[in-house]
Structure formats: C-alpha cells, structure tokens
Amino acid sequence: MTSSNKSDEIVGTWVAEGSSFENRWVYHAENTLTTYYKNNVYKTYNWSIREVSTPSGLTKRELVLINIENPDDQKNYIIDTQTEKRLILVYNIGVGLSMSTYIRK
C-alpha cells in the first residue's frame, strides 16, 4: 500500500481506547483535525504524515499536528500501528515514550 493510501485511511473519527465518544479526534480529508473534549471543539490542527528515518536506518511514519491558532503548538507522533479500525501513536513525554491507542468509530 502506498503512503497516500495510508494517509487517506486516517480520515474519520477516532476515540482513545477507554475514553468516551465525547472526547474524539476527527481527521478531515482536507488535512485538518478537530479535537473534541466533552463534545465541544477543543483544538483544530493541520495534519500531515511524513516518512522519517531512525538513527539505525529504519523508516517510520510520523503524524505531525500543527495547531491552526498557535503554530508553535506542534505535536509529533510516530505511527506504530495503523489499520482500518486501530491507530497506535507513540510520542515523547519528555522522560520517555508513551503510547496511545485509538479506535475508529
């Protein structure tokens, strides 16, 4: 599968495992992401997926989110797993790595 197809597959509504639908991330085809908290819009980002190389030479896919209202608010996630129903993102919390699992709704 090509990268563009994988990028297209992220479009839709995702809810963090163990969370409620009130707190969801909605990826739109025009590369924007609307995050909701308690059914209210929380933040809106531009999203993109790019390939990055690790120091050991592995190629991984990175999800980049840039806050539309505050471009200094950028979040970078390594896409650990992406299927039709599951998205696992890995991110640096400053003292190590953390992982979040999202389920398509």
Side-chain angles (χ1 to χ4, degrees), residues 15-20 86 100-103:
V15 177
E17 199 170 54
S19 188
S20 74
R86 181 176 301 266
S100 293
T101 301
Y102 295 85
I103 309 300

Side-chain angles (χ1 to χ4, degrees), residues 66-80:
I66 300 174
N67 188 324
I68 288 175
E69 294 178 11
N70 177 8
D72 291 334
D73 177 14
Q74 178 175 320
K75 301 186 182 325
N76 296 59
Y77 301 91
I78 294 295
I79 299 172
D80 180 79

Side-chain angles (χ1 to χ4, degrees), residues 37-53:
Y37 178 70
K38 295 186 176 178
N39 280 329
N40 294 309
V41 172
Y42 180 61
K43 290 183 180 179
T44 304
Y45 296 91
N46 286 313
W47 67 266
S48 62
I49 294 176
R50 64 183 181 196
E51 289 190 351
V52 295
S53 294

Side-chain angles (χ1 to χ4, degrees), residues 1-39:
M1 206 173 261
T2 66
S3 279
S4 61
N5 288 345
K6 278 292 196 188
S7 293
D8 293 344
E9 286 177 16
I10 203 168
V11 172
T13 301
W14 298 86
V15 177
E17 199 170 54
S19 188
S20 74
F21 188 77
E22 294 179 340
N23 306 320
R24 63 194 177 276
W25 289 16
V26 181
Y27 293 86
H28 305 279
E30 69 277 3
N31 290 76
T32 59
L33 164 66
T34 306
T35 60
Y36 291 84
Y37 178 70
K38 295 186 176 178
N39 280 329

